Amino acid sequence: MRLWKLGKRKTTSFIKYPILNRNSENETLHIYRALLRQCTYLPDAAARLCLRTHVVSRFRAYYPRRILSVASKHKRPPRLAEQRRPALLKTARKGLTFLRRANDGYPQHLAKVLAMAYGRIGKRRHQLLQRLKIPDMPVDQTALEKLRSDPGSQGVPLPSQQLMTLVKSQAKRKIVTMSRSTTPLKIAPTIPEKNVWGRPMPVKRVRNLKRRWYAQTLDRIMPPLPEAEWNELRKLASGETRWEGPARRRSQSEADNAGHDTSRRGRVKGLVNSPHDITPRYMRRLWTKILAQCPTMKPHAMRKSGWEVSWGEVQDTQTIALQPSGRRDFAMFEGVDERGRLAH
């Protein structure tokens, strides 16, 4: 998962966030330390752990000792790491700029970091989907014979009961997700009875339609979070758990901090993706958006089988409801119609 993919617009981030010294022999080590340092500044504990694990795993994948063993196993040349080094360092520099922008309070960057940490996008999302991909075993011989007798279902992945319960629940909600597709979720594949020539739909075409629906469903579904993590996110979004505040920044070296302005002087009022002061209210707003995309599932308490889906909803405690105490409160509105105009 590449963190910095927010569009193909030209950027001037190199002015505010200068790259490290490319001529240095320890450039790789410098970028690695700078990435880990920026991970410690993230304002969310789950994001700090997730991004640090991601950075460490990506650098260790090209560690020389590991390259030698992989090269000998897959018959790859031993110079593989050296050949890919320029492209990998370019990727690391972009990731470093992305994390710096997230720590400066850019909404799109920080929201994407939180979405990655809580499994809405990226590698962790695919890890949470693994449990939903496990198909259900036939309960009896009748169900097994029914599957065998349907030629359109042979060789097609069958959605589990847990997955279908989540699909039906998500289809009823209108949520803004950060997935790759914005097409509404379908409960079942649309399979016409006849093709364009008026003939019965071929079995191969039916199988392809089912496979396509299954792949699109997995691409658009929001996997459930573990209940403990979901409750912690809900408490952070509602303000029940007090936010510890932004991490204290240590003194940085000249190579990492040269020209890096952490002030908000470049903020332009009215722009969608301009830097924002990271305050408790700002973080609760971001956590609320992420929580609205996060369900949690547990076995149904009242039934022997089935699943119960709970979605994250946080009520705004700052909303004040004005309730009139009597008829005298409406005296100021006499002579005004429903549209607010004076009645003649």
Side-chain angles (χ1 to χ4, degrees):
M1 179 64 193
R2 294 186 176 181
L3 294 176
W4 62 91
K5 278 196 172 182
L6 290 174
K8 296 183 179 180
R9 299 175 299 177
K10 294 184 178 180
T11 179
T12 58
S13 60
F14 59 89
I15 300 177
K16 187 176 181 182
Y17 307 102
I19 61 176
L20 302 180
N21 186 10
R22 298 185 181 182
N23 299 324
S24 175
E25 297 180 357
N26 298 325
E27 180 184 7
T28 304
L29 183 59
H30 290 171
I31 296 179
Y32 178 66
R33 289 176 174 175
L35 285 169
L36 293 182
R37 187 181 300 113
Q38 291 298 323
C39 289
T40 61
Y41 299 153
L42 291 173
D44 183 83
R48 290 194 292 268
L49 178 61
C50 177
L51 269 297
R52 185 186 184 281
T53 304
H54 178 75
V55 170
V56 172
S57 63
R58 291 299 298 154
F59 271 82
R60 285 185 177 178
Y62 286 91
Y63 191 67
R65 296 178 182 176
R66 189 169 181 177
I67 284 298
L68 292 176
S69 60
V70 172
S72 60
K73 181 178 180 180
H74 298 281
K75 298 182 180 180
R76 294 179 180 178
R79 299 186 300 273
L80 178 62
E82 192 63 28
Q83 292 174 358
R84 294 185 179 180
R85 184 173 179 270
L88 292 172
L89 289 179
K90 182 178 180 180
T91 301
R93 293 188 203 102
K94 290 184 177 180
L96 179 59
T97 301
F98 187 95
L99 289 178
R100 282 174 171 172
R101 284 176 169 263
N103 288 322
D104 279 351
Y106 282 84
Q108 291 185 7
H109 298 75
L110 187 54
K112 195 165 186 178
V113 166
L114 294 177
M116 183 178 179
Y118 290 100
R120 302 307 93 190
I121 56 176
K123 182 178 180 180
R124 185 151 191 263
R125 179 180 180 273
H126 291 279
Q127 293 174 349
L128 295 174
L129 280 174
Q130 295 302 321
R131 185 185 301 178
L132 299 177
K133 293 181 181 180
I134 302 177
D136 296 331
M137 298 298 295
V139 293
D140 51 14
Q141 189 68 20
T142 306
L144 182 59
E145 292 297 334
K146 185 179 179 179
L147 291 176
R148 291 179 177 178
S149 61
D150 186 9
S153 299
Q154 296 180 3
V156 178
L158 300 176
S160 61
Q161 182 184 7
Q162 185 180 6
L163 177 60
M164 289 306 303
T165 303
L166 183 59
V167 168
K168 294 177 182 178
S169 178
Q170 182 174 333
K172 298 177 182 178
R173 297 176 57 89
K174 295 181 180 180
I175 57 177
V176 180
T177 63
M178 299 187 67
S179 60
R180 292 184 293 270
S181 176
T182 57
T183 309
L185 196 64
K186 295 182 180 180
I187 300 179
T190 304
I191 303 177
E193 296 181 359
K194 297 182 179 180
N195 57 13
V196 293
W197 291 280
R199 302 173 183 174
M201 187 64 65
V203 176
K204 188 174 183 179
R205 178 61 176 159
V206 173
R207 293 175 182 173
N208 291 338
L209 289 174
K210 290 184 176 180
R211 290 194 186 100
R212 182 182 300 175
W213 170 82
Y214 186 79
Q216 292 176 351
T217 300
L218 292 181
D219 185 56
R220 298 164 188 165
I221 200 69
M222 290 289 102
L225 279 178
E227 188 174 0
E229 186 177 356
W230 185 83
N231 289 329
E232 184 63 27
L233 178 60
R234 180 183 57 82
K235 292 179 180 179
L236 288 171
S238 62
E240 186 177 349
T241 298
R242 185 177 180 182
W243 180 48
E244 66 275 9
R248 184 178 179 182
R249 301 202 175 194
R250 298 168 294 179
S251 59
Q252 302 175 357
S253 61
E254 284 187 2
D256 189 29
N257 201 32
H260 180 67
D261 186 11
T262 59
S263 65
R264 300 294 182 264
R265 290 178 296 179
R267 181 178 180 182
V268 180
K269 187 176 181 180
L271 293 181
V272 177
N273 194 32
S274 59
H276 196 287
D277 294 331
I278 302 180
T279 61
R281 184 182 176 210
Y282 179 61
M283 290 304 303
R284 286 198 304 268
R285 198 185 315 157
L286 292 177
W287 281 322
T288 302
K289 293 180 180 179
I290 299 297
L291 182 63
Q293 307 174 25
C294 297
T296 183
M297 300 185 70
K298 58 182 179 180
H300 207 287
M302 304 301 295
R303 303 175 186 175
K304 294 183 179 179
S305 61
W307 296 86
E308 185 177 358
V309 184
S310 300
W311 290 86
E313 294 181 358
V314 177
Q315 297 181 357
D316 190 1
T317 57
Q318 303 297 327
T319 303
I320 301 176
L322 298 178
Q323 300 180 356
S325 57
R327 294 283 302 177
R328 59 194 179 101
D329 297 315
F330 293 96
M332 67 177 68
F333 300 106
E334 291 181 358
V336 181
D337 58 7
E338 296 179 354
R339 296 184 179 180
R341 300 176 180 176
L342 293 175
H344 297 289

